[in-house]
Amino acid sequence: ANLTYADLSYADLIDADLRYSDLVGAGFAAATFYGADLKWANLTYANLSYADLTNADLKSADLIDADLRYADLTNAYLRYVDLTNAYLRSADLTNADLFNADLIDADLRFADLTNANLGAVDLTNAYLYNADLTNARLNGADLTDADLRYADLTDAVFAWATVTNADFTGTTWSN
């Protein structure tokens, strides 16, 4: 489907099949995508603020410069997704699978990444100020120049992670 720059704010897209869709710049503010299939969708510049993407499959989707403020991505499948420069402030990514995702320059301030799989994720220059990464798995992640000030890293796993110049000021490591 080609929904480039369409405004579908508040739309009910539960279990929708939007694989390979062109959704560049589309407005999906507060839309419901529960269980939707968005594999390989192009959501560059899309507005998904406050959207419910619980259990959605976004494998290999392009979300470059997307607005996901306050979005609910609980249990979302985000492997190989490109979230470069995405705005994920206060997003809920609890139990999300972001293996091998690109989050370069992403804004994850106050985001909840509890139990998230962040293995092999590129978080270069990402902004994770006050984010909750409790029990997150960051094996092989690249956190070069990342801002993790005041983040909660209780029981997070960093095996083989690169943390060159990352800022851990005020970070919580355990209870």
Side-chain angles (χ1 to χ4, degrees), residues 115-116 132-138 152-158 172-175:
N115 297 318
D132 188 351
L133 290 118
T134 303
N135 292 317
R137 295 169 310 285
L138 294 121
D152 188 347
L153 298 170
T154 303
D155 297 323
V157 180
F158 284 89
T172 302
W173 292 97
S174 62
N175 288 331

Side-chain angles (χ1 to χ4, degrees), residues 54-101:
T54 304
N55 293 323
D57 187 347
L58 291 118
K59 179 182 178 184
S60 299
D62 283 324
L63 287 146
I64 299 166
D65 290 303
D67 183 350
L68 290 141
R69 285 172 297 144
Y70 299 95
D72 188 349
L73 292 145
T74 303
N75 296 317
Y77 191 79
L78 297 155
R79 284 182 172 229
Y80 311 105
V81 74
D82 191 346
L83 285 154
T84 299
N85 206 42
Y87 192 36
L88 291 139
R89 183 178 181 145
S90 299
D92 188 351
L93 292 141
T94 302
N95 296 318
D97 187 351
L98 291 130
F99 179 82
N100 210 28

